[in-house]
Structure formats: C-alpha cells, structure tokens
Amino acid sequence: MSKDPEYGTGDATFQAAGGEAGIRRLVDTFYDIMGREEKYRRIWDWHPEDKEVSRDKLSRFLCAWMGGPRRFSEKYGPISIPSAHAHLGVTEVERDMWLACMEEALRLQDYPEPLVEYLLRDLAVPADLILQVGERRQG
C-alpha cells in the first residue's frame, strides 16, 4: 500500500510535478490557455508581447517554490512576488482569473488529484499577497 508523498516537504512537490520538465509543461499549458481563452485576455495582455520570458520566469519560480533547484535566482536574482507585480494593480478579478487559468492547466496535467488540490491551495497564498499589494496601490 503506497502512501501519497507529503507535498511541501523537501522536494516531494517538485518530484510529483515531474521535475523541471513537468513544471515547464504546466507553465506552457497555462500560457497556452491564457493566450487562447478570451476570458483571460486581461491578464494575458499584462505580459510582454514575447511571452517566452514570462514562461521562463514562472517555470523557474515554480521550480524553487515546489522544493526544487532555485532556478529563478540563478538567472534573475532574488524576487519578491508581490513587489514584482505591484505595478499591475491586481484586483480580485485578476487574481481569480490567474487561479482559474492555473486550475485549468493543472487539471490537464497527469497529476494526482491530491497534488492538484495542494497546488491550488498553496498558489492562492502568493496570489493573495499580490492582491494585497494591488489593493494598497489602488487605495
């Protein structure tokens, strides 16, 4: 009888997501959905025209965030997710769009349901921090 890995412990999440290649597939799926679905147009348009840098940054961030190698800081240096998005003025609408798009992308991966649920719950944390910065900017 196998036991589910304890996501969030060591590199269990990173490994369950397929390592760097699996995370890149997730990110590519995420951006592909965002680019083709009109309901995500607002957040798509916030990204630079060449989405490759955005794809690379998110892949590298998620790699470390899931307990893998710190690829983002290796290439781009330290990051504060809320500060990096402060100029956007994120509201609940955009936060919810981002999370909904990510949920669609996650559900298209070959991930076990407990991993999908774990990631959705944990990704809401940085999304809420970005929202707080956006609300202060607007307030």
Side-chain angles (χ1 to χ4, degrees):
M1 186 174 191
S2 74
K3 182 181 180 301
D4 285 335
E6 280 192 51
Y7 303 124
T9 302
D11 70 349
T13 307
F14 174 76
Q15 293 299 328
E20 290 181 62
I23 291 169
R24 181 58 195 234
R25 274 190 304 278
L26 168 63
V27 168
D28 285 341
T29 302
F30 171 74
Y31 277 101
D32 291 349
I33 292 168
M34 191 190 311
R36 78 171 171 260
E37 297 289 334
E38 188 59 36
K39 62 187 173 185
Y40 301 125
R41 179 66 46 201
R42 177 185 307 205
I43 58 175
W44 173 259
D45 288 345
W46 278 354
H47 293 82
E49 188 174 338
D50 178 4
K51 304 297 190 273
E52 182 50 40
V53 172
S54 298
R55 289 172 187 251
D56 185 57
K57 285 183 173 182
L58 182 57
S59 294
R60 288 170 178 273
F61 168 76
L62 288 176
C63 185
W65 185 78
M66 290 187 195
R70 300 191 169 283
R71 299 293 187 229
F72 187 95
S73 61
E74 288 174 4
K75 184 170 182 178
Y76 298 106
I79 185 172
S80 165
I81 292 297
S83 298
H85 295 84
H87 67 286
L88 298 173
V90 173
T91 69
E92 288 181 15
V93 170
E94 294 86 16
R95 180 208 51 199
D96 292 349
M97 276 183 202
W98 192 95
L99 289 170
C101 187
M102 183 55 76
E103 180 173 4
E104 286 187 45
L106 285 165
R107 296 206 179 279
L108 289 172
Q109 307 309 303
D110 188 24
Y111 292 168
E113 186 62 22
L115 176 61
V116 171
E117 293 302 321
Y118 171 82
L119 290 172
L120 289 172
R121 188 173 53 255
D122 270 32
L123 284 167
V125 174
D128 284 339
L129 292 173
I130 293 167
L131 172 63
Q132 290 171 13
V133 169
E135 288 174 336
R136 281 196 295 266
R137 181 175 177 253
Q138 293 170 13

